[in-house]
Amino acid sequence: MASLRICISAPGKVILHGEHSVVYDKLALAASLGLRTRLEFCEFEEGEGGEVEFCDLGISHCYNFKDIHQLLATPIPLTKPPAYYNLSHPEFLSHEEVVKIIETFVSVKFQEPKQRQALISFFYLFWTILGSTDSVLKRFKLTLRSDLTVGAGTGSSASFAVTIAAFLLQFIKIKKFESKFFYKTITELNLENLNGFDQVELDLVSKWAFQSERIIHGTPSGVDNTICTFGGLVSFRKSTTPHLIQLSSKLTLILINTNTPRDTKHLVGKVASKRVKYRPIIDAILDAMDQTTIKALDYLQKIDNSDVLELYEALGELVDVNQNLLRCLGVSHPRLDEACETLAEFGLHGKLTGAGGGGCAICVVPPYGQERVDEVIAELKKKGFGAVFTDLGGYGVRVDQ
């Protein structure tokens, strides 16, 4: 029987407006999904070894404690002198050096790219967070499952990273509260609240998740880790702090999976290359996307105080504009276009979300009633799409019971 059990979950996300343009300091608007990543950690009094199971990636592997303790005892490469480092300062890590060490540590058994990336991301956080403490580990099993499709533009990697980072901070809080190990350095964790995370802790979770996102996405915008940490509806510009948008009306969404894989890093690079070649033209497109996002945010904030159906129609027009701008950047895909055309047959509006090139499309649903939604989803599934109806703007990372 487990002597300690910790359960953490974090939502996925969709970008409503601002894909690609956010990389160039334009406004993005993102919302958390009702679909979540869930982690269960169990610690046992007897035995040794740490079992890591990522169900959706086909990973189940037991690491022996000798290897784990050796990793935790390895000095963490820093860009600042060691005296400056504790788990409150992920920005002091020498990122590339940390990644190289973890790549060596991860079992050679896992060569499939998504499996290796997941394990590297996990042990990156495991080492650099727990490595700043005098942790005493017992036999454990860590299991992670997700409602999110990997590589579909719904923040699966950020949701994964946020869940792992939050778990590690929660683990340290519990152990410190029980005085099971001693901190090498003082941290900013709230030991008076073991049932959740305060603002300082959420900021820290998001910072750590951003470090993990760098492994997979190279130069992430920061949108994904922010929305998966805080939940809700967030407006975000790279040069400013994220702003949480308060809405009293619930938003709902049809999430459409094209079942077509895509490579975020490649697509971001594709836009960058096109911008070098056609700078004035691409900058004009990015500026238009910025204005589209600003106007969409204005409409969303007026939904409770105006003609709802009229505002939803205006929002739909902006969705069409944004999708066409994304096509101009060359990041759409025939299956994404087909999904949007199918929605249009029912008077709805859709666009890609995330990097594009496959992945998912979204449709914010006006208050028409469930019957119409069911008809749309049935038609999409008939054409080979995955389609689910879910809430938008729900809670962020949390400790589950």
Side-chain angles (χ1 to χ4, degrees):
M1 180 177 292
S3 58
L4 172 65
R5 181 172 175 267
I6 299 173
C7 294
I8 302 287
S9 69
K13 74 91 186 59
V14 289
I15 297 181
L16 301 178
H17 291 279
E19 294 90 347
H20 290 284
S21 60
V22 72
V23 176
Y24 302 95
D25 206 29
K26 309 302 181 183
L27 189 69
L29 191 60
S32 55
L33 285 170
L35 309 175
R36 300 180 72 82
T37 299
R38 297 176 175 82
L39 178 151
E40 180 183 44
F41 172 86
C42 294
E43 185 180 73
F44 305 92
E45 292 294 335
E46 297 180 355
E48 289 191 350
E51 185 178 353
V52 178
E53 185 176 15
F54 300 154
C55 302
D56 304 285
L57 293 173
I59 294 174
S60 182
H61 191 68
C62 189
Y63 291 85
N64 67 60
F65 268 2
K66 179 181 178 182
D67 292 338
I68 290 175
H69 287 144
Q70 185 175 345
L71 176 66
L72 291 175
T74 302
I76 299 170
L78 304 172
T79 58
K80 294 276 187 178
Y84 287 93
Y85 179 70
N86 61 44
L87 60 80
S88 298
H89 295 287
E91 68 275 13
F92 289 166
L93 296 174
S94 179
H95 178 74
E96 289 76 15
E97 292 183 69
V98 173
V99 171
K100 285 181 182 178
I101 292 171
I102 295 300
E103 285 176 339
T104 301
F105 174 81
V106 168
S107 173
V108 295
K109 174 183 177 182
F110 298 100
Q111 293 300 319
E112 197 278 324
K114 289 178 181 177
Q115 291 182 333
R116 281 193 66 79
Q117 282 185 336
L119 286 169
I120 290 167
S121 298
F122 171 71
F123 280 109
Y124 181 107
L125 296 173
F126 183 89
W127 174 31
T128 53
I129 293 177
L130 287 189
S132 69
T133 68
D134 287 333
S135 54
V136 178
L137 295 176
K138 299 178 181 178
R139 182 171 72 89
F140 68 83
K141 180 175 181 180
L142 184 147
T143 304
L144 190 140
R145 295 180 172 85
S146 185
D147 303 327
L148 303 164
T149 301
V150 176
T154 53
S156 60
S157 64
S159 182
F160 173 93
V162 167
T163 302
I164 297 295
F167 152 68
L168 290 167
L169 295 189
Q170 179 70 1
F171 176 78
I172 290 171
K173 286 170 65 175
I174 291 172
K175 292 296 184 179
K176 177 61 177 174
F177 180 79
E178 296 175 348
S179 298
K180 292 292 176 67
F181 63 78
F182 175 70
Y183 283 116
K184 293 178 183 175
T185 51
I186 297 172
T187 62
E188 301 171 355
L189 301 182
N190 181 4
L191 302 184
E192 296 181 0
N193 179 16
L194 299 181
N195 296 315
F197 304 103
D198 63 21
Q199 182 67 37
V200 172
E201 291 168 335
L202 289 174
D203 286 339
L204 194 53
V205 167
S206 187
K207 285 182 182 179
W208 277 108
F210 179 82
Q211 291 294 118
S212 175
E213 283 283 84
R214 292 176 65 191
I215 298 169
I216 298 174
H217 296 305
T219 309
S221 67
V223 170
D224 287 16
N225 53 280
T226 298
I227 196 67
C228 293
T229 300
F230 294 95
L233 184 68
V234 168
S235 63
F236 181 92
R237 197 182 294 272
K238 279 186 74 173
S239 60
T240 62
T241 56
H243 179 62
L244 184 63
I245 310 299
Q246 299 293 338
L247 298 174
S248 58
S249 291
K250 184 177 77 170
L251 297 176
T252 54
L253 178 99
I254 300 175
L255 179 66
I256 305 153
N257 192 344
T258 65
N259 299 311
T260 304
R262 85 284 186 279
D263 184 334
T264 297
K265 192 181 296 187
H266 168 74
L267 289 157
V268 171
K270 181 179 179 180
V271 173
S273 297
K274 190 171 287 190
R275 184 170 181 258
V276 170
K277 192 173 182 180
Y278 305 110
R279 181 68 176 264
I281 297 170
I282 300 304
D283 280 353
I285 293 171
L286 296 172
D287 288 340
M289 293 173 73
D290 192 38
Q291 292 302 313
T292 301
T293 305
I294 291 168
K295 194 62 179 177
L297 175 57
D298 177 55
Y299 285 153
L300 283 167
Q301 291 176 307
K302 291 178 178 176
I303 279 181
D304 298 323
N305 303 312
S306 305
D307 186 316
V308 174
L309 292 181
E310 182 178 328
L311 275 175
Y312 269 102
E313 184 57 36
L315 283 167
E317 290 173 350
L318 291 176
V319 165
D320 292 340
V321 169
N322 201 350
Q323 174 62 13
N324 284 315
L325 291 170
L326 288 161
R327 285 195 187 101
C328 291
L329 290 181
V331 295
S332 193
H333 184 276
R335 286 291 279 169
L336 286 167
D337 295 339
E338 184 183 359
C340 294
E341 290 163 5
T342 301
L343 291 167
E345 293 171 8
F346 291 84
L348 298 174
H349 307 269
K351 61 177 285 293
L352 67 84
T353 186
C360 287
I362 57 170
C363 170
V364 177
V365 180
Y368 287 141
Q370 190 62 42
E371 184 177 343
R372 188 168 183 179
V373 171
D374 291 342
E375 290 176 1
V376 176
I377 289 177
E379 182 63 23
L380 288 164
K381 288 183 175 180
K382 189 187 299 182
K383 295 182 178 181
F385 294 99
V388 294
F389 183 62
T390 187
D391 292 337
L392 271 180
Y395 51 85
V397 66
R398 70 176 188 181
V399 178
D400 293 330
Q401 302 302 317

